[in-house]
Amino acid sequence: RLIYRMPAKFGKVKRCNVVRDSEAINNNLNVYVLAEGTNTALAEPTLTLKQNVETWLNGYRMINDTLDILDGRIINYGIRFRVIPAQDVNRYELLDKCNQKLRTDFLNVQPDIGEAIHIARIYKLLNEVPGVIDTTDVELFNRSGGVYSNVVYDIDSNLSDDGRYLLIPQDAAAEVLSPGSDIEGVVT
């Protein structure tokens, strides 16, 4: 995407999504932007960053297009899971391995704004951990307030019909902010 090629001296966009505004009379494009905060977490963009993005894109847009540079929303969530261990497996070590697997293989690819969270992938990754016989449950839950964003998101009503993925609005990105406390596992 063109926005990601904006020179760093103008600021850094961590996530973005361009959506045609279907309610606008003209060819208006809504550009949702998120910046990088502390510890590489998502953060709301500054006014300066949004102005720089608009200036940068003005050189590339079609003459008839108008742009609105808007704040993206951050949906913080956590993951709860339950796995069945093989016999003679240390449950504490297995839980550590499962948590590590999610941190290294699931959270290493951050979804873009508007990109769904694939719960089926969490099941698959947990079942790949040596010593796991089966993953019986995976649940996503919303985190908001305090160190998290203030976005309250109803996870249950935004799951796909088959429960395999969580739909994310086109103006929002989902993030596990603190993997150490936002990933909760149980070995039964």
Side-chain angles (χ1 to χ4, degrees), residues 83-118:
V83 296
I84 298 173
Q87 283 187 322
D88 300 325
V89 171
N90 182 309
R91 293 171 186 259
Y92 299 107
E93 289 177 10
L94 183 61
L95 184 58
D96 277 347
K97 288 178 185 176
C98 290
N99 288 337
Q100 186 61 34
K101 182 76 167 176
L102 291 180
R103 282 194 293 271
T104 59
D105 293 0
F106 184 73
L107 299 180
N108 67 339
V109 178
Q110 294 292 324
D112 217 339
I113 294 178
E115 189 175 337
I117 304 301
H118 295 274

Side-chain angles (χ1 to χ4, degrees), residues 26-129:
N26 55 6
N27 291 330
N28 191 59
L29 299 173
N30 292 333
V31 181
Y32 297 101
V33 177
L34 288 170
E36 185 172 308
T38 58
N39 299 328
T40 69
L42 295 174
E44 290 184 9
T46 63
L47 179 60
T48 302
L49 177 60
K50 292 192 300 187
Q51 289 170 339
N52 289 344
V53 167
E54 184 171 16
T55 301
W56 172 255
L57 292 178
N58 276 337
Y60 298 96
R61 69 177 175 82
M62 302 289 280
I63 290 175
N64 293 338
D65 286 341
T66 59
L67 300 173
D68 287 332
I69 312 300
L70 305 167
D71 292 352
R73 295 185 302 147
I74 302 166
I75 299 171
N76 292 125
Y77 73 98
I79 302 169
R80 286 188 190 106
F81 66 87
R82 183 178 302 272
V83 296
I84 298 173
Q87 283 187 322
D88 300 325
V89 171
N90 182 309
R91 293 171 186 259
Y92 299 107
E93 289 177 10
L94 183 61
L95 184 58
D96 277 347
K97 288 178 185 176
C98 290
N99 288 337
Q100 186 61 34
K101 182 76 167 176
L102 291 180
R103 282 194 293 271
T104 59
D105 293 0
F106 184 73
L107 299 180
N108 67 339
V109 178
Q110 294 292 324
D112 217 339
I113 294 178
E115 189 175 337
I117 304 301
H118 295 274
I119 299 167
R121 185 162 177 255
I122 298 172
Y123 276 97
K124 179 182 180 298
L125 289 170
L126 290 171
N127 283 336
E128 290 174 356
V129 174

